[in-house]
Coordinates of all heavy atoms in Angstrom, one line a residue:
N92 N -25.5 -21.7 23.3 CA -26.6 -22.5 22.7 C -26.3 -24.0 22.5 O -27.2 -24.8 22.6 CB -27.1 -21.9 21.4 CG -27.8 -20.5 21.6 OD1 -28.4 -20.3 22.6 ND2 -27.6 -19.6 20.6
S93 N -25.1 -24.3 22.3 CA -24.7 -25.7 22.0 C -24.9 -26.5 23.2 O -25.2 -27.7 23.2 CB -23.3 -25.8 21.5 OG -22.3 -25.4 22.6
L94 N -24.8 -25.9 24.4 CA -25.1 -26.6 25.7 C -26.5 -26.8 25.8 O -27.0 -27.9 26.3 CB -24.4 -25.9 26.9 CG -24.6 -26.5 28.2 CD1 -24.1 -28.0 28.3 CD2 -24.0 -25.7 29.3
K95 N -27.3 -25.8 25.5 CA -28.8 -25.9 25.7 C -29.3 -26.9 24.7 O -30.3 -27.7 25.1 CB -29.4 -24.5 25.3 CG -29.1 -23.4 26.3 CD -29.8 -22.1 25.9 CE -29.4 -21.0 26.9 NZ -30.0 -19.7 26.5
E96 N -28.8 -27.1 23.6 CA -29.2 -28.2 22.6 C -29.0 -29.6 23.2 O -29.7 -30.5 22.9 CB -28.5 -28.0 21.3 CG -29.0 -26.9 20.4 CD -28.5 -27.0 19.0 OE1 -28.4 -28.1 18.4 OE2 -28.1 -25.9 18.4
L97 N -28.0 -29.7 24.0 CA -27.7 -31.0 24.6 C -28.8 -31.5 25.6 O -29.0 -32.7 25.8 CB -26.4 -31.0 25.4 CG -25.1 -31.0 24.5 CD1 -23.9 -31.2 25.4 CD2 -25.1 -32.0 23.5
L98 N -29.5 -30.5 26.2 CA -30.6 -30.9 27.1 C -31.6 -31.7 26.4 O -32.1 -32.7 26.9 CB -31.2 -29.6 27.7 CG -30.2 -28.7 28.4 CD1 -31.0 -27.5 29.0 CD2 -29.4 -29.4 29.5
A99 N -32.0 -31.2 25.2 CA -33.0 -32.0 24.4 C -32.4 -33.3 23.8 O -33.2 -34.2 23.7 CB -33.5 -31.1 23.2
L100 N -31.2 -33.3 23.5 CA -30.5 -34.4 23.0 C -30.5 -35.6 24.0 O -30.8 -36.7 23.7 CB -29.1 -34.1 22.5 CG -28.9 -33.7 21.1 CD1 -27.4 -33.3 20.8 CD2 -29.4 -34.7 20.1
R101 N -30.2 -35.2 25.2 CA -30.2 -36.2 26.3 C -31.5 -36.7 26.5 O -31.7 -38.0 26.7 CB -29.6 -35.6 27.6 CG -29.7 -36.6 28.8 CD -29.1 -35.9 30.0 NE -29.2 -36.8 31.2 CZ -30.3 -36.8 32.0 NH1 -31.3 -36.0 31.8 NH2 -30.3 -37.7 33.0
E102 N -32.5 -35.9 26.6 CA -33.9 -36.4 26.7 C -34.3 -37.4 25.6 O -35.0 -38.4 25.9 CB -34.9 -35.3 26.8 CG -34.8 -34.4 28.0 CD -35.0 -35.2 29.3 OE1 -35.9 -36.0 29.3 OE2 -34.3 -35.0 30.3
Q103 N -33.9 -37.1 24.4 CA -34.1 -38.0 23.3 C -33.5 -39.3 23.5 O -34.1 -40.4 23.2 CB -33.7 -37.3 22.0 CG -34.1 -38.2 20.7 CD -33.6 -37.5 19.4 OE1 -32.7 -36.6 19.5 NE2 -34.2 -37.9 18.4
V104 N -32.2 -39.3 24.0 CA -31.5 -40.6 24.2 C -32.2 -41.4 25.3 O -32.4 -42.6 25.1 CB -30.1 -40.3 24.7 CG1 -29.4 -41.6 25.2 CG2 -29.2 -39.7 23.5
L105 N -32.6 -40.8 26.3 CA -33.3 -41.5 27.4 C -34.6 -42.1 27.0 O -35.0 -43.1 27.4 CB -33.5 -40.6 28.7 CG -32.2 -40.0 29.3 CD1 -32.6 -39.2 30.5 CD2 -31.2 -41.1 29.7
R106 N -35.3 -41.3 26.2 CA -36.6 -41.7 25.7 C -36.5 -42.9 24.7 O -37.2 -43.9 24.9 CB -37.3 -40.6 24.9 CG -38.7 -41.0 24.3 CD -39.3 -39.8 23.6 NE -38.4 -39.2 22.6 CZ -38.3 -39.7 21.3 NH1 -38.9 -40.8 21.0 NH2 -37.5 -39.1 20.5
I107 N -35.5 -42.8 23.8 CA -35.4 -43.9 22.8 C -34.8 -45.2 23.5 O -35.3 -46.3 23.2 CB -34.4 -43.5 21.7 CG1 -35.1 -42.4 20.9 CG2 -34.0 -44.6 20.8 CD1 -34.3 -41.7 19.8
K108 N -33.9 -45.0 24.4 CA -33.3 -46.2 25.2 C -34.2 -46.7 26.2 O -34.0 -47.8 26.8 CB -32.0 -45.8 25.7 CG -30.9 -45.3 24.8 CD -30.7 -46.2 23.6 CE -29.8 -47.4 24.0 NZ -29.5 -48.2 22.8
D109 N -35.3 -45.9 26.6 CA -36.3 -46.2 27.6 C -35.6 -46.6 28.9 O -35.9 -47.6 29.5 CB -37.1 -47.4 27.1 CG -38.4 -47.6 28.0 OD1 -38.8 -46.6 28.7 OD2 -38.9 -48.7 28.1
S110 N -34.6 -45.7 29.3 CA -33.9 -46.0 30.6 C -33.3 -44.7 31.1 O -32.9 -43.8 30.3 CB -32.8 -47.0 30.3 OG -31.9 -47.1 31.4
E111 N -33.2 -44.6 32.4 CA -32.5 -43.5 33.0 C -31.0 -43.8 33.2 O -30.2 -42.9 33.5 CB -33.1 -43.1 34.3 CG -34.5 -42.5 34.2 CD -34.6 -41.1 33.6 OE1 -33.5 -40.4 33.8 OE2 -35.5 -40.8 32.9
N112 N -30.6 -45.1 33.0 CA -29.3 -45.5 33.2 C -28.6 -45.8 31.9 O -28.5 -47.0 31.4 CB -29.3 -46.7 34.1 CG -27.9 -47.2 34.4 OD1 -26.9 -46.5 34.3 ND2 -27.7 -48.5 34.6
V113 N -28.2 -44.7 31.2 CA -27.6 -44.9 29.9 C -26.1 -44.4 30.0 O -25.9 -43.3 30.5 CB -28.3 -44.1 28.8 CG1 -27.6 -44.2 27.5 CG2 -29.7 -44.5 28.7
P114 N -25.1 -45.2 29.6 CA -23.7 -44.9 29.6 C -23.5 -43.5 28.8 O -23.9 -43.5 27.6 CB -23.0 -46.0 29.0 CG -23.9 -47.2 29.3 CD -25.3 -46.7 29.2
M115 N -23.0 -42.5 29.5 CA -23.0 -41.2 28.9 C -21.9 -40.4 29.5 O -21.6 -40.5 30.7 CB -24.4 -40.5 29.1 CG -24.6 -39.2 28.4 SD -26.2 -38.6 28.8 CE -27.3 -39.8 28.0

Side-chain angles (χ1 to χ4, degrees):
N92 288 329
S93 67
L94 180 57
K95 293 179 180 178
E96 286 192 39
L97 285 189
L98 305 180
L100 274 176
R101 175 179 178 269
E102 290 302 318
Q103 185 180 18
V104 170
L105 299 183
R106 175 180 58 80
I107 293 173
K108 305 304 283 187
D109 193 23
S110 173
E111 291 290 328
N112 181 26
V113 179
M115 186 180 296

